[in-house]
Amino acid sequence: MEKEKILFTSESVSEGHPDKVCDQISDAILDACLKEDPSSHVACECFVSKDFLLIGGEITTKAKVDYENIAREVIKDIGYDNDELGFNYKTLKIINIINSQSPDINMGVNRGDELLQGAGDQGIMFGYATNENEGYMPLAIVISHKLVREATRLRKAGLFKNARPDMKSQVTIDYSNKLPRVETVLMSVQHDPDYDEKLFKEYIYKNIMIPVIESFGLNTDFKYLINPTGRFVIGGPAGDTGLTGRKIIVDTYGGYARHGGGCFSGKDPSKVDRSAAYYARYMAKNLVAAGIADRLEIQLSYAIGKAEPLSISVSTFKTSHYKDEDILKIINKVFDARPGAINRQFSLTKPIFKYRLLASYGHFGRPDLNIPWEKIDKVEEINKVIKDLDIQRY
C-alpha cells in the first residue's frame, strides 16, 4: 500500500492584491514620515474598495506629508491606472482621517536614553529559521513569493500580455522523503476580458512556473492549476475590499511557524509587532546558521513602556544539538532584544531600505533586498560563547 504523503502548503499574493495595496500605502506613508523625521510615531492603516481609499490611524511627526499624493503614486506604480480596472489612481476618492498618537502611549515609549525606550505595546512575536535552503526559510513560502514577484516583473516589463495586477500563488511541498519535492503549484492571475486563455495559461506555466521551480533546483514534474475558476477579470479593490495587515501569514513564514497576531505595515519601529518580529527572525537565523538546531523558533513577549522582554522562549522541534537551557544562555549572552537596541543595531528609524518594498513578497528571506535582520553575523560570537561557557553539543 502506498504511504501517505507529508505535504505542506503556503500561499503568496502580488502587490496588486487589495490587502497588499493597503500595506504598501501604509508603509509608503511611514517611509515619508521617517525620511524627514526619524522620531516619527506612525500607526497607519488603509481600507480600499472600488474607486475608494480610506486612510486612518495615529501619526505624530514633524514631517510635512502629502498623504493623498503618496497613496496615488503607490497605486499608479502598482498598475491601477485605468477606469476599466475599477480602481484608478487618477480618479479614486480618498478620505484621510489620521489623528495624533495617544499621549499615554507616547509617555511610555519616549525616554532620554534610546536603550531604555519602552515597547510601544504589549504583545508576543515569533521568529523562525530552518536550514532546508540557503535562505533559511520554509520552501513553500519563498517559492510562492517568487512566483508572483516574477509574474509581476514580467507584467510591468510588458512581456506578460493581458495580465492585470491582482495575482495569487500557492505551493505544496512533499516532505515524505529525505529531499523535498514540489507536489502542486497553483496560480490565479487577473487578466483582460479579451484574451486567449490557452496562450495565457501556457505562458504562466512555461515562463513563470517552470523557471521559478528550476531556480530552486527542484523537480518540474509537479501538478499545476492556473485560474481554476476559468475566469479572473474583476480583481483588485474592485473585486474585494482590502485592509492593512490582513496578510500576516504571507508576510512571515507561510504558516510554517507561529504568529503573534500583530501586523507589520504602517507601524514605526517603536511598535514591537514589527521590530521584535524582525529581531526574533535575526536571532533564529543566526542560531540555525551556527548549528544550534536544524529548525528553530523564538518567541519574545513585551509589556508596553518596558524595555526588557518579559520572556524569551525557544522551540527546536526535536532538531536541536544543544539543551534548551544552554540555548537560552547563548541567547542572553549574544542578543539584546530591547526595542531601543534593536532600532540602533538595524537603524530602523533611518533605514537603508524602504519599508514599502517589504510590504509585498514577504519581510523575511528577501534575497532581492539588503535588510539587516537577514544578516548572518553572529555565528562567530555564538561559537565563542559556546566555548567560553563550555556548552556541550549532543
Side-chain angles (χ1 to χ4, degrees):
M1 188 174 71
E2 187 177 346
K3 69 177 182 179
E4 291 292 327
K5 291 183 177 180
I6 301 170
L7 304 175
F8 190 85
T9 303
S10 294
E11 71 159 353
S12 183
V13 298
S14 73
E15 60 196 56
H17 186 280
D19 293 332
K20 281 293 152 200
V21 171
C22 293
D23 285 343
Q24 290 169 90
I25 295 170
S26 295
D27 271 339
I29 288 171
L30 171 64
D31 287 331
C33 292
L34 293 178
K35 183 177 180 180
E36 290 186 38
D37 179 11
S39 64
S40 298
H41 285 162
V42 178
C44 177
E45 300 187 21
C46 298
F47 167 90
V48 292
S49 188
K50 184 175 181 179
D51 279 328
F52 176 77
L53 165 64
L54 174 68
I55 306 173
E58 297 78 41
I59 297 179
T60 301
T61 184
K62 297 173 185 175
K64 303 299 181 184
V65 179
D66 187 338
Y67 299 109
E68 181 173 321
N69 184 62
I70 289 171
R72 292 191 191 278
E73 285 298 314
V74 169
I75 295 164
K76 176 184 178 182
D77 183 61
I78 292 169
Y80 289 113
D81 56 4
N82 191 313
D83 286 339
E84 288 184 11
L85 299 172
F87 196 69
N88 187 345
Y89 80 95
K90 302 172 190 173
T91 57
L92 85 161
K93 180 181 180 181
I94 298 178
I95 295 177
N96 176 4
I97 54 169
I98 289 173
N99 298 307
S100 296
Q101 185 185 51
S102 162
D104 293 341
I105 296 175
N106 195 53
M107 179 175 62
V109 172
N110 283 337
R111 303 281 172 79
D113 186 340
E114 181 185 24
L115 294 178
L116 297 179
Q117 172 187 313
D121 201 353
Q122 72 176 54
I124 55 175
M125 299 83 211
F126 289 92
Y128 178 80
T130 171
N131 65 3
E132 68 179 89
N133 58 71
E134 63 181 15
Y136 294 89
M137 285 286 288
L139 268 174
I141 187 65
V142 290
I143 298 174
S144 295
H145 284 323
K146 191 167 184 179
L147 287 165
V148 283
R149 194 169 72 237
E150 179 64 6
T152 298
R153 184 190 71 79
L154 293 169
R155 173 182 66 83
K156 288 185 170 183
L159 300 173
F160 188 3
K161 305 298 184 183
N162 300 120
R164 289 182 169 185
D166 194 359
M167 308 176 185
K168 283 188 172 185
S169 63
Q170 189 169 287
V171 175
T172 300
I173 300 293
D174 180 359
Y175 286 103
S176 304
N177 300 305
K178 187 175 182 180
L179 295 176
R181 288 176 52 84
V182 180
E183 176 77 5
T184 307
V185 178
L186 162 64
M187 290 193 74
S188 295
V189 179
Q190 186 188 13
H191 56 80
D192 296 332
D194 184 17
Y195 83 121
D196 187 313
E197 181 180 355
K198 184 174 182 291
L199 290 178
F200 190 76
K201 290 185 175 182
E202 282 181 359
Y203 186 90
I204 291 171
Y205 176 70
K206 293 178 180 178
N207 296 79
I208 299 170
M209 287 183 174
I210 292 294
V212 167
I213 299 304
E214 285 181 336
S215 74
F216 288 89
L218 294 167
N219 60 293
T220 56
D221 58 343
F222 52 83
K223 293 176 284 188
Y224 67 94
L225 293 165
I226 299 171
N227 286 0
T229 65
R231 185 174 172 86
F232 186 12
V233 173
I234 300 171
D240 194 6
T241 57
L243 292 168
T244 299
R246 200 160 57 175
K247 284 290 177 283
I248 59 177
I249 300 304
V250 171
D251 285 341
T252 53
Y253 308 101
Y256 212 90
R258 287 172 285 193
H259 196 295
C263 78
F264 302 150
S265 291
K267 296 178 180 178
D268 74 84
S270 72
K271 279 73 172 175
V272 282
D273 279 338
R274 176 166 226 156
S275 56
Y278 291 169
Y279 200 71
R281 159 65 175 171
Y282 174 73
M283 295 165 72
K285 186 174 183 179
N286 275 272
L287 288 163
V288 170
I292 300 300
D294 299 334
R295 294 171 53 206
L296 192 144
E297 183 184 75
I298 299 281
Q299 185 206 55
L300 301 173
S301 73
Y302 292 85
I304 188 169
K306 301 295 183 182
E308 294 285 351
L310 296 183
S311 67
I312 301 175
S313 177
V314 177
S315 298
T316 55
F317 312 100
K318 298 181 180 179
T319 70
S320 179
H321 304 295
Y322 296 87
K323 295 178 181 177
D324 284 356
E325 55 265 37
D326 288 333
I327 298 174
L328 290 168
K329 288 177 185 176
I330 295 167
I331 288 171
N332 288 323
K333 286 284 186 180
V334 175
F335 299 101
D336 187 346
R338 291 176 294 174
I342 297 170
N343 179 44
R344 178 180 290 184
Q345 181 176 343
F346 293 159
S347 299
L348 293 179
T349 56
K350 298 178 182 178
I352 59 172
F353 56 90
K354 289 187 176 181
Y355 284 103
R356 187 206 152 180
L357 297 177
L358 297 169
S360 299
Y361 316 119
H363 293 246
F364 307 118
R366 294 291 299 270
D368 56 317
L369 298 177
N370 180 23
I371 44 180
W373 51 91
E374 289 298 315
K375 292 181 178 178
I376 302 173
D377 56 7
K378 289 288 187 181
V379 172
E380 187 176 330
E381 189 175 347
I382 290 168
N383 288 330
K384 184 177 184 303
V385 169
I386 290 172
K387 184 178 180 181
D388 290 347
L389 297 180
D390 194 26
I391 294 173
Q392 299 300 309
R393 183 182 172 96
Y394 283 157

